[in-house]
């Protein structure tokens, strides 16, 4: 458990000038290529001092993305959904309806210039949002993302092809509920996080998520928490404020397809 190590992340991640971050939510599905182009343009504008920081929440149609550390063998079904090669950190992940993607464009020049602290802050942000639903979550040494430990009989899900249903020796099982994959250019971040609210978990079986064979994936609804995307957004915004500072309503860079 590393949650105790996360508590210091927020101390350097809030802007000293208190300038709020714009917060935008897209309704409907947003195409991946259009989203990435808009995100990169906004990040460049932030670096040039021409735009405010932005957190952009959206849903994508079903697709797989491959980060810079992805391995071809971890793409188990290349024909199932479109595959997008991307410059973010990490390996293969899935995006689709029912999953909240948050693209995070923050100026780290004003937030301590510490990429490790920034990633810890993203972890703390997700953990805090899950806490709004009473879901205990944490990070794990050597694994990217945020995880839940399933101990009781009520914490069950349909098995995914290619994933262990229980760990060796029995007992509880750890499933991933949120992914993190970021890039930083000129000390401005882009890409971000994805939180599984109610996606079709069988869609993950076309890849080895983040290159990890030993564990599965889960979602809030899969854990028995009947959360909506709107409710997840509220929790994310509340937790973001505690870690990174205040937000104000902003406009989404592109409209859904």
């Amino acid at each position: 458990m590393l949650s105790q190590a996360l508590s210091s992340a927020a101390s350097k991640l809030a802007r000293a000038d208190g300038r709020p971050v714009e917060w935008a939510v897209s309704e409907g599905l947003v195409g991946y290529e259009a989203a990435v182009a808009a995100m990169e343009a906004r990040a460049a504008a932030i670096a040039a001092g021409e735009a405010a920081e932005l957190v952009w929440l959206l849903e994508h149609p079903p697709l797989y993305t491959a980060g810079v550390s992805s391995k071809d063998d971890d793409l188990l079904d290349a024909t199932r959904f479109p595959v997008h090669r991307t410059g973010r950190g990490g390996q293969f992940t899935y995006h689709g309806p029912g999953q909240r993607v948050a693209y995070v464009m923050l100026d780290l020049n004003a937030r301590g210039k510490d990429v490790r602290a920034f990633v810890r802050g993203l972890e703390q942000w997700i953990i805090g949002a899950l806490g709004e639903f009473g879901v205990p979550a944490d990070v794990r040494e050597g694994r990217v993302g945020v995880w839940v430990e399933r101990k009781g009989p009520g914490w069950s899900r349909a098995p995914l092809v290619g994933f262990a249903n229980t760990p060796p020796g029995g007992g509880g099982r750890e499933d991933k509920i949120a992914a993190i994959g970021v890039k930083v250019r000129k000390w401005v971040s882009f890409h971000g996080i994805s939180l599984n609210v109610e996606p079709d978990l069988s869609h993950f079986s076309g890849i080895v998520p983040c290159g990890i064979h030993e564990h599965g994936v889960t979602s809030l609804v899969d854990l028995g928490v009947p959360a909506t995307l709107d409710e997840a957004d509220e929790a994310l915004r509340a937790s973001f404020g505690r870690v990174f500072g205040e937000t104000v309503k902003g406009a989404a860079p592109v409209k859904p397809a």
Side-chain angles (χ1 to χ4, degrees), residues 17-250:
D17 60 9
R19 185 178 180 183
V21 177
E22 292 187 2
W23 186 273
V25 181
S26 288
E27 302 294 337
L29 302 180
V30 180
Y32 185 77
E33 291 180 349
V36 170
M39 172 177 56
E40 292 194 351
R42 180 61 174 255
I46 293 169
E50 299 170 352
E53 297 173 303
L54 174 68
V55 174
W56 180 22
L57 278 62
L58 52 82
E59 289 176 280
H60 285 306
L63 57 92
Y64 298 130
T65 66
V68 295
S69 301
S70 61
K71 301 175 183 177
D72 290 342
D73 289 345
D74 289 340
L75 180 59
L76 305 179
D77 186 351
T79 64
R80 188 170 189 181
F81 299 124
V83 179
H84 297 270
R85 303 284 171 174
T86 178
R88 63 159 174 79
Q91 302 187 42
F92 277 101
T93 193
Y94 164 78
H95 295 314
Q99 180 193 74
R100 179 53 85 204
V101 173
Y103 288 133
V104 183
M105 291 152 271
L106 297 184
D107 185 359
L108 302 188
N109 288 289
R111 298 177 181 273
K113 276 191 172 183
D114 187 332
V115 175
R116 290 186 179 181
F118 172 60
V119 173
R120 289 196 299 271
L122 295 177
E123 294 167 343
Q124 186 174 3
W125 171 29
I126 299 167
I127 291 168
L130 291 169
E132 297 282 320
F133 297 100
V135 174
D138 217 318
V139 295
R140 295 292 185 270
E141 190 70 42
R143 295 189 229 150
V144 179
V146 174
W147 299 76
V148 295
E149 186 174 359
R150 309 175 71 141
K151 298 180 179 180
W155 295 67
S156 62
R157 58 145 168 81
L160 298 182
V161 176
F163 296 99
N165 297 327
T166 56
R173 185 179 71 245
E174 294 177 351
D175 286 344
K176 189 171 188 176
I177 194 168
I180 297 173
V182 295
K183 187 170 183 177
V184 175
R185 182 183 296 154
K186 296 183 179 179
W187 288 107
V188 175
S189 68
F190 52 109
H191 294 282
I193 70 164
S194 59
L195 172 64
N196 296 332
V197 181
E198 192 180 7
D200 185 338
L201 294 180
S202 71
H203 289 180
F204 285 87
S205 62
I207 58 172
V208 178
C210 300
I212 299 173
H213 294 264
E214 298 83 4
H215 305 281
V217 292
T218 189
S219 68
L220 282 169
V221 170
D222 182 49
L223 294 173
V225 179
T228 66
L229 281 174
D230 287 344
E231 289 169 338
D233 292 349
E234 291 177 7
L236 284 167
R237 191 167 185 174
S239 182
F240 183 91
R242 293 191 291 267
V243 179
F244 294 101
E246 295 298 316
T247 60
V248 295
K249 185 176 181 180

